[in-house]
Amino acid sequence: MNVRLELLGSVERGIAESEVFRLALQHAVAELGGLGGTVHLCGPMSALRLVSAAGLPPDLVRAWEIIDQEGPTAPARAVRRSGSVWEPAEAAERAAEPAGPPDRAPSASADRTAPGGPGRPADLSAAQVCPGSGLAAVPVHGGDCSPLGVLTVVTGAAGEPTGDQWAFLRAVAAWAEEWVRQSPVPVRPAREELSGARMRQALKAVQVGTWDWNIRTGELAWDDAAMVVYGTDPADFVPRVESWMKIVHPDDLPSTLAAADKAIRTRTLFEAEYRVRRPDGGYTWTQTRARVLLDDRGEPYRMIGRAWDSNESRSARDALSRALRHMSDGFLSADDDWRITFVNLRAERMLGSSEEELFGRVLWEVPSVRQIPELEARCRKAAAAAAPTSFDVEVPDTGRCYHLRLVPVPDGVTLYLTDVTDRRRDEAERAAAASAASGRAARIAELTAALATATTSRDVVAAVAARVLHPFGATGLMVQAVEGDRVHTVGAVGYPPAFLDVIHGRPRRPHDPVWDAILGGEPLFFSSAEEYGARYPGLADRPRAIGKQAGVFLPLTASGHTFGVCVIAFDRPRRFSEEERTLLTAISALVAHALERARLYDAEHARSRELQRGLLPRKLPDLPTCTAAARYLPAGQGMEVGGDWYDVIPLSSGRVALVVGDVMGHGLSEAATMGRLRTAVHTLAGLELPPDEVMGHLNEIVGGLGDDSYATCLYMLYDSTTRTCSFARAGHPPPAVVHPDGTVRFPDPAPDPPLGAAEPPFGTVELAVPDGSLLVLYTDGLVESSGREIDQGMAELARILHGTDGADLERLCDAVVAGLLPAEHPTSDDTALLVARVHALPADRMASWPLPDTPQAAGQARRYVREQLSAWGLDDLAATTELLASELVGNVVRHGRGPVGLRLLYSTCLVCEVSDGSQTMPRIRHASATDEGGRGLQLVAALSQRWGARYTATGKCIWTEQPLPGSGCPEVLPVALDAWSLQL
């Protein structure tokens, strides 16, 4: 180790910087037994530029040419922390993992990327070399202790360097720092004088390029001449300052970067001469001058300058001056005060003054310049922006037009003047000719774009009418399609309705222009009504009868099949040129393909609509509990079917379920999902489950449909006996409750997430609802759109509900739809609306009694039933109801537990309920001939029109329904008793 340091110490001072880095890198790699290594120098915009590499393949080296100094790589961290850094191979394997906690340094001597410490992807990692390797990086400092660069060794399987090896690396870095400070400034070779052919070749090659560097963002712009100077193909150029760093010779890079940094810090002129790499791998000398631009706060933010090939001799530079002097375009340069410092012969003639008269004169004082309007203002604006600018100027009273290009340079501006009078005149003539020639193509392109967005057949007809009738001066358009042996009108514009009724569905027949065009597959052109009558004598009076004098019948052919005709009519005679005939024929082909696609969509859309209508309720039930009205509005024209639905589900004992939902998305799949959910809601509602449990089961169903299936839903349960309403919702807008006095409120503003994304349990909201109140359920399509927030829509809904008479629910639905979804503004989402007026069961139509959980309870129940039915005038139902109550109470006393209750409800039917504290549900079964029990529920089922059981907050409730006398339903008791006797 000491031997290597002694060997490095014996190296003579004053060697080139690239040699210093090469020797340091070779000894560092050899001492650590590494696979290879790199040396990077600090550049602008936090970039590290590769200046030396050893032992690494070229493909890998190219990827390491520029490293982000602010990145997580070992070289970058070594520079930022000004200390040694170790990165094992495991860290590189985690480079693609998400960013985690910052790395911890296990020791003061070297920073380590510990296993398990994730980082963002590195642009220099050990895993890119071979398994088991690592990166050891030490910083190299400059003369003022600021970071100069970094030396990195790719180690072998030995892993992290030992303490002695770290010490050696730091000693090598210190040696490199000292020897670099003593390296000589690069000196370009002596210029040689050129003459003859070599002089002409040099003059031809000399170019001055302009560049613009954004110091803050690192963006770098080169003009075409700069691309040539720096030997860069514009197609390969990346507009970043790193692109310039890559081509600068490693020996010249430190001094050049130092000069740029000094110019930025001191706000002075930047001048440098350095070598750049050419495409053939060689280097050539270039020179640059630039100035720093300051922002409003006096801080540097841009640097603009010029660059040129400095290999040419003084003679070549003189020759360049002579070439500029005699070039065909006008050229002049001015200093920061706009005083002319150079002008060539062409510019002298343009300005009307000699070089002696112009030199040192302010440009804006030249008479020929003053007469050009706004020239000074435009040039000053371009110079202030420090950006090259080009524009045309016209010299008054001469008819001449010049193209002026102004390029700001460090010590002023340069202006190029080119006479473009003839060029602009030729361009104007070519533009006029091209405009006339492209008229046909433009019309076809316009129509093509419109037809590409046309979805339905109506859209196609509208697009053709808007873009064909006016350009051709036509007054009528009719599109007809063949269906069987008849033609049906798809759409028409400019024809009398009576005429359209006559020709709609016209059968196939000879000597008819429509059928002749379809069967022949060729367009028919009629320049006048006389020409039309001469070919079709039997129809000669038709053109004048409908106010048309000329027309074109264009067959519509797509996929090799002619399926219709497009008729374009004119109200005056008209001859058709060959160009117009060609254009109209081309238009018919576009219309045919668009119409064929639209007809397929229309058919598919009709099937989808029919499917959706079949999945929605055909008629809402007529219930004593509530009266309801509903609306379903599909999305606007061109939109697929959606998944909105609504439902009214009658339940037991004066209860009703109101449901509205929305399957997210549009299409047949969403409509089918809507049907599945509606069926599931019916099933769950029949189980008499509370709203939160219904939503929980629906959430499981939607979650099982796939990760991309979601739906919103509102399930509301109204009880007419308690005048209460409870509901749960998943991602759905809240219901509107309209009290009899017109007050509108939206309870529970915060919903649970949508079905498929929610996590049960769902929240339940309970509220008292006065008799005659309105419950308004809706989907988001009613209150939310691209131009209206949901809060605004709900406020507008409340305003309409408050200000509209709710006596007629159908009219109320129409008012809500008209106010929120006007017909002239089609929506992109479908909408469901359900309005229900609730009716409470009067208190004198309800009776309830507590019962003991003893065998005597059955007798008490029969007495209560007999007395109450007598008070209601329902003595005809007393015997049946007594038997039902006795059986239900006996079942509860035997199999349930207290407290036991009996309730009678008198509505459109008679409801008998028996409740107890047990949650064990009764199940009907078939008793055998030898069973002593099991026939009670069979008797209940036989005696009642409908029966069931539901859970309550304290247990369960078994209920039966019987039709009222005179309702038209057959008497149940005799039939039931006959069946019962047969079983016995």
Side-chain angles (χ1 to χ4, degrees):
M1 184 178 303
N2 291 332
V3 174
R4 293 188 182 278
L5 292 176
E6 292 175 1
L7 185 60
L8 288 174
S10 65
V11 175
E12 65 177 346
R13 299 176 184 272
I15 63 175
E17 293 169 338
S18 59
E19 185 66 11
V20 173
F21 295 139
R22 184 186 66 81
L23 290 172
L25 187 58
Q26 286 181 348
H27 284 281
V29 172
E31 182 62 32
L32 269 65
L35 304 177
T38 61
V39 175
H40 290 79
L41 290 183
C42 298
M45 301 308 300
S46 299
L48 294 174
R49 158 71 194 284
L50 179 69
V51 295
S52 185
L56 302 177
D59 290 343
L60 189 58
V61 171
R62 279 194 295 272
W64 294 354
E65 283 190 349
I66 299 294
I67 297 176
D68 183 7
Q69 189 173 322
E70 300 300 325
T73 60
R77 286 188 285 127
V79 171
R80 291 200 307 270
R81 301 175 184 182
S82 192
S84 305
V85 172
W86 164 249
E87 180 182 295
E90 294 87 341
E93 296 175 0
R94 299 188 309 275
E97 298 177 3
D103 297 340
R104 294 175 295 177
S107 69
S109 60
D111 176 34
R112 296 174 175 82
T113 302
R120 65 184 178 88
D123 45 1
L124 181 60
S125 61
Q128 294 174 304
V129 181
C130 67
S133 63
L135 297 178
V138 293
V140 179
H141 296 91
D144 55 354
C145 295
S146 61
L148 175 65
V150 60
L151 184 148
T152 306
V153 176
V154 181
T155 64
E160 181 180 1
T162 64
D164 291 341
Q165 290 175 327
W166 278 118
F168 174 79
L169 287 177
R170 286 190 284 271
V172 170
W175 175 85
E177 294 167 5
E178 181 178 356
W179 257 249
V180 166
R181 286 197 296 269
Q182 301 181 38
S183 296
V185 177
V187 179
R188 53 150 293 162
R191 297 186 176 94
E192 62 175 329
E193 293 295 326
L194 304 179
S195 61
R198 295 186 63 192
M199 174 73 74
R200 289 189 296 273
Q201 183 179 1
L203 288 173
K204 184 178 180 180
V206 168
Q207 294 197 51
V208 178
T210 303
W211 52 268
D212 186 340
W213 171 32
N214 190 315
I215 299 172
R216 295 175 180 171
T217 66
E219 294 179 354
L220 179 65
W222 288 349
D223 64 6
D224 294 340
M227 295 286 183
V228 176
V229 171
Y230 290 125
T232 300
D233 188 342
D236 299 330
F237 176 67
V238 178
R240 301 286 303 173
V241 72
E242 291 84 356
S243 300
W244 171 76
M245 292 174 59
K246 288 181 179 181
I247 64 174
V248 179
H249 195 286
D251 288 346
D252 303 345
L253 186 60
S255 59
T256 305
L257 293 178
D261 181 69
K262 179 180 178 182
I264 294 172
R265 285 187 288 104
T266 61
R267 281 76 161 167
T268 56
L269 196 66
F270 167 55
E271 292 184 280
E273 189 170 22
Y274 48 87
R275 287 163 289 181
V276 296
R277 186 174 64 242
R278 309 299 295 180
D280 59 2
Y283 286 88
T284 184
W285 285 89
T286 61
Q287 192 168 348
T288 188
R289 291 185 68 197
R291 60 172 174 170
V292 177
L293 300 182
L294 307 179
D295 60 15
D296 297 337
R297 295 174 299 177
E299 295 295 329
Y301 78 104
R302 287 175 64 193
M303 181 182 287
I304 61 171
R306 293 180 295 179
W308 60 92
D309 189 336
S310 59
N311 273 339
E312 83 280 6
S313 65
R314 174 60 61 182
S315 299
R317 295 183 184 180
D318 294 341
L320 174 61
S321 179
R322 291 194 299 272
L324 290 174
R325 177 75 175 155
H326 295 278
M327 63 187 290
S328 59
D329 290 340
F331 175 83
L332 66 87
S333 61
D335 60 16
D336 291 332
D337 296 325
W338 296 95
R339 295 188 179 276
I340 299 174
T341 57
F342 180 86
V343 61
N344 70 354
L345 294 175
R346 181 61 175 168
E348 290 179 18
R349 289 193 291 270
M350 291 179 177
L351 299 178
S353 302
S354 64
E355 181 181 14
E356 291 77 11
E357 295 171 331
L358 295 172
F359 189 81
R361 192 173 183 180
V362 176
L363 179 62
W364 316 121
E365 296 178 355
V366 178
S368 56
V369 175
R370 281 203 310 268
Q371 66 177 342
I372 301 176
E374 299 183 358
L375 177 60
E376 179 180 359
R378 298 176 71 177
C379 290
R380 288 187 180 276
K381 181 179 179 181
T389 304
S390 299
F391 51 88
D392 285 357
V393 295
E394 293 185 1
V395 181
D397 303 328
T398 64
R400 309 304 297 178
C401 178
Y402 295 94
H403 182 73
L404 185 146
R405 182 168 181 264
L406 185 147
V407 180
V409 293
D411 51 359
V413 295
T414 59
L415 290 89
Y416 301 83
L417 296 166
T418 305
D419 190 339
V420 293
T421 304
D422 296 337
R423 186 191 308 173
R424 294 293 183 263
R425 186 183 299 114
D426 293 342
E427 289 174 354
E429 293 175 355
R430 287 195 300 269
S435 176
S438 64
R440 179 173 62 187
R443 291 178 184 176
I444 292 179
E446 233 180 88
L447 182 61
T448 301
L451 293 177
T453 59
T455 306
T456 66
S457 299
R458 287 184 178 181
D459 296 339
V460 173
V461 175
V464 176
R467 290 163 179 82
V468 174
L469 295 186
H470 179 70
F472 283 93
T475 58
L477 171 70
M478 180 173 60
V479 178
Q480 293 187 302
V482 177
E483 295 181 11
D485 287 335
R486 295 178 178 271
V487 288
H488 294 266
T489 302
V490 177
V493 175
Y495 282 91
F499 172 72
L500 295 177
D501 293 338
V502 171
I503 65 172
H504 182 69
R506 187 167 67 255
R508 176 177 176 177
R509 63 185 182 182
H511 305 296
D512 187 299
V514 170
W515 282 104
D516 287 352
I518 294 174
L519 299 176
E522 295 292 335
L524 303 177
F525 296 89
F526 300 99
S527 300
S528 62
E530 291 75 18
E531 184 179 347
Y532 179 88
R535 180 161 181 173
Y536 300 102
L539 303 174
D541 59 338
R542 175 173 291 178
R544 291 184 174 84
I546 59 176
K548 307 300 179 185
Q549 296 294 319
V552 182
F553 293 78
L554 302 169
L556 301 177
T557 303
S559 305
H561 170 65
T562 302
F563 63 89
V565 64
C566 176
V567 182
I568 301 175
F570 304 83
D571 59 0
R572 63 186 62 186
R574 190 184 195 285
R575 293 190 175 276
F576 302 96
S577 65
E578 285 299 322
E579 183 179 358
E580 288 176 328
R581 291 171 183 254
T582 302
L583 177 57
L584 289 171
T585 303
I587 288 175
S588 69
L590 295 175
V591 174
H593 286 87
L595 188 60
E596 182 185 43
R597 183 182 68 250
R599 293 178 72 203
L600 292 175
Y601 174 84
D602 290 341
E604 180 71 18
H605 198 62
R607 288 192 293 268
S608 301
R609 294 283 191 211
E610 187 63 29
L611 170 63
Q612 189 178 44
R613 282 193 293 269
L615 294 175
L616 291 172
R618 295 185 179 274
K619 182 181 179 182
L620 295 178
D622 185 13
L623 304 174
T625 308
C626 72
T627 54
R631 293 290 185 273
Y632 171 77
L633 284 82
Q637 188 75 14
M639 297 297 296
E640 296 188 51
V641 295
D644 290 20
W645 92 94
Y646 60 87
D647 222 331
V648 177
I649 306 173
L651 302 177
S652 65
S653 306
R655 299 157 72 242
V656 63
L658 307 175
V659 193
V660 66
D662 181 5
V663 178
M664 296 185 183
H666 293 83
L668 285 176
S669 175
E670 285 71 17
T673 300
M674 177 265 284
R676 297 173 65 178
L677 292 180
R678 180 168 177 255
T679 302
V681 170
H682 266 270
T683 303
L684 296 170
L687 298 177
E688 306 268 8
L689 298 177
D692 59 330
E693 293 188 27
V694 172
M695 299 302 285
H697 288 295
L698 289 178
N699 187 60
E700 293 180 3
I701 294 174
V702 176
L705 298 178
D707 294 338
D708 57 347
S709 295
Y710 301 98
T712 66
C713 184
L714 169 61
Y715 183 88
M716 176 176 284
L717 192 62
Y718 172 71
D719 190 338
S720 64
T721 64
T722 62
R723 304 187 182 190
T724 60
C725 177
S726 61
F727 66 88
R729 59 195 183 104
H732 205 85
V737 180
V738 185
H739 288 253
D741 61 358
T743 304
V744 182
R745 57 186 292 254
F746 295 92
D748 185 32
D752 287 304
L755 299 176
E759 292 291 338
F762 288 85
T764 301
V765 178
E766 295 188 4
L767 61 153
V769 181
D771 185 26
S773 297
L774 295 180
L775 300 177
V776 182
L777 288 70
Y778 52 92
T779 56
D780 59 354
L782 181 70
V783 294
E784 186 178 25
S785 66
S786 59
R788 179 175 58 199
E789 297 292 336
I790 189 170
D791 292 340
Q792 298 173 338
M794 292 172 60
E796 180 65 15
L797 173 62
R799 187 191 64 79
I800 296 174
L801 294 174
H802 178 75
T804 305
D805 183 11
D808 187 338
L809 296 186
E810 296 293 339
R811 293 183 61 183
L812 178 61
C813 287
D814 292 338
V816 170
V817 170
L820 292 171
L821 301 175
E824 61 271 16
H825 296 106
T827 63
S828 60
D829 194 9
D830 49 346
T831 300
L833 170 66
L834 176 62
V835 180
R837 174 175 285 107
V838 296
H839 307 292
L841 188 63
D844 59 356
R845 294 295 185 100
M846 296 183 287
S848 60
W849 305 270
L851 297 174
D853 54 352
T854 62
Q856 291 76 20
Q860 295 182 24
R862 287 193 295 271
R863 186 177 72 252
Y864 291 150
V865 168
R866 186 168 52 254
E867 294 173 352
Q868 186 62 51
L869 293 186
S870 177
W872 283 342
L874 299 177
D875 297 288
D876 294 344
L877 297 178
T880 306
T881 310
E882 286 182 41
L883 185 55
L884 287 172
S886 179
E887 285 294 331
L888 294 179
V889 172
N891 185 288
V892 166
V893 170
R894 182 177 182 182
H895 300 288
R897 63 168 182 255
V900 181
L902 172 66
R903 186 169 74 157
L904 295 178
L905 304 177
Y906 178 18
S907 181
T908 55
C909 64
L910 180 64
V911 178
C912 177
E913 295 181 346
V914 175
S915 60
D916 72 306
S918 171
Q919 291 193 340
T920 302
M921 284 293 182
R923 288 179 172 80
I924 192 169
R925 63 185 179 89
H926 293 283
S928 63
T930 59
D931 289 342
E932 295 183 1
R935 296 178 177 84
L937 291 181
Q938 294 184 22
L939 180 60
V940 169
L943 292 176
S944 60
Q945 186 180 35
R946 200 163 66 103
W947 77 281
R950 67 177 183 272
Y951 288 107
T952 65
T954 59
K956 69 176 180 293
C957 174
I958 308 174
W959 55 268
T960 66
E961 289 184 3
Q962 301 172 73
L964 299 178
S967 63
C969 296
E971 189 176 355
V972 177
L973 182 58
V975 177
L977 292 179
D978 290 344
W980 182 256
S981 63
L982 289 175
Q983 292 186 26
L984 294 176

